Amino acid sequence: MTSFVDAILITADNALRTLFAPHRAARPTPAVSAEQQAEAAQMTDSERRLSGALMRVNHVGEICAQALYTGQALAARLGPGHPQERERTARHLEAAGQDETDHLAWCQQRLDELGERRSLLAPLWYAGALTIGLAAGLAGRPISLGFVVETERQVEAHLDGHLDRLPARDHPSRAIVAQMKADEIRHARDAQQAGGVELPSPVKWAMRAAAKVMTTVAHRI
């Protein structure tokens, strides 16, 4: 089983890699056809700025996802319960986090292609999400997994909104967002099947309010 010191080191390593290391995806970036690439190359400056702002928000969302999963995994390892069950929960969360690493790399790649920067407040977003993830994890396995379910449902709705707002000819960004949405749906389903419970309505509302603040600020900064 993972010791206290090892759990802290794993958490610190994940934070440093998420915030400062180049992101490498385990899966290829969702592909588009040559014709779609050519069409995307004809985007206007205003379309590129809009796509860049939306993909910056998505990049921040993936930073937060990494922090949430890392905080929940840390809480699972350090909280009460049978050691094997705690480790199983932590590994379930870390496996889902690997998909989020792919998303992070894809969003960064697309930001680079669009000539846009990532959010200047990334460390702040990470710290806040890590704290929330830790709190959710300390509430116990059913609530922690229920938090994953609700988070992914809200992210799915958020990505749907971006698919509506992205320029029609920005096929590369749209392909990335569509694959991200499919992954988030799977994460929610897996967490629910693993024992996640429905969260109270006030908690869901608070989660939506926090996400609204993040997306509004990250769109510009």
Side-chain angles (χ1 to χ4, degrees):
M1 297 297 103
T2 305
S3 69
F4 173 83
V5 173
D6 286 341
I8 296 299
L9 290 175
I10 290 171
T11 301
D13 178 65
N14 285 341
L16 292 173
R17 285 190 291 106
T18 298
L19 291 171
F20 303 112
H23 305 123
R24 293 182 174 84
R27 294 175 290 171
T29 305
V32 298
S33 68
E35 291 79 6
Q36 289 174 321
Q37 285 282 11
E39 189 176 0
Q42 302 302 314
M43 290 166 57
T44 65
D45 288 344
S46 61
E47 287 175 327
R48 297 178 76 85
R49 284 194 296 272
L50 173 59
S51 289
L54 294 176
M55 293 308 290
R56 178 164 52 249
V57 170
N58 290 330
H59 185 269
V60 167
E62 297 308 325
I63 286 177
C64 290
Q66 289 288 325
L68 288 170
Y69 280 126
T70 297
Q72 288 176 271
L74 175 63
R77 289 192 167 104
L78 301 182
H82 192 279
Q84 289 184 337
E85 179 70 10
R86 290 191 283 112
E87 185 65 21
R88 184 166 69 89
T89 300
R91 292 185 181 276
H92 173 96
L93 293 162
E94 288 171 344
Q98 179 56 56
D99 282 346
E100 308 297 349
T101 300
D102 290 348
H103 300 171
L104 194 60
W106 296 343
C107 288
Q108 183 63 65
Q109 176 185 326
R110 188 59 185 148
L111 282 173
D112 292 342
E113 292 169 351
L114 291 166
E116 289 285 343
R117 56 166 175 77
R118 58 190 289 179
S119 173
L120 300 175
L121 302 178
L124 176 63
W125 304 129
Y126 189 96
L130 182 69
T131 302
I132 293 171
L134 185 61
L138 290 174
R141 176 182 168 86
I143 292 178
S144 183
L145 291 173
F147 185 82
V148 173
V149 173
E150 181 59 27
T151 297
E152 302 296 21
R153 285 174 178 169
Q154 292 189 18
V155 172
E156 178 190 351
H158 158 82
L159 294 175
D160 268 335
H162 277 203
L163 287 171
D164 288 339
R165 295 182 62 194
L166 280 165
R169 52 183 172 178
D170 187 2
H171 301 292
S173 295
R174 299 179 69 83
I176 289 171
V177 171
Q179 183 58 57
M180 288 166 58
K181 176 185 171 183
D183 290 341
E184 309 303 3
I185 291 172
R186 174 166 49 83
H187 294 166
R189 183 187 65 241
D190 291 348
Q192 190 168 42
Q193 292 175 349
V197 298
E198 193 77 13
L199 299 183
S201 294
V203 175
K204 295 180 182 180
W205 180 89
M207 291 169 66
R208 284 192 291 269
K212 181 63 175 178
V213 171
M214 182 274 287
T215 56
T216 300
V217 175
H219 190 87
R220 297 174 175 81
I221 303 176

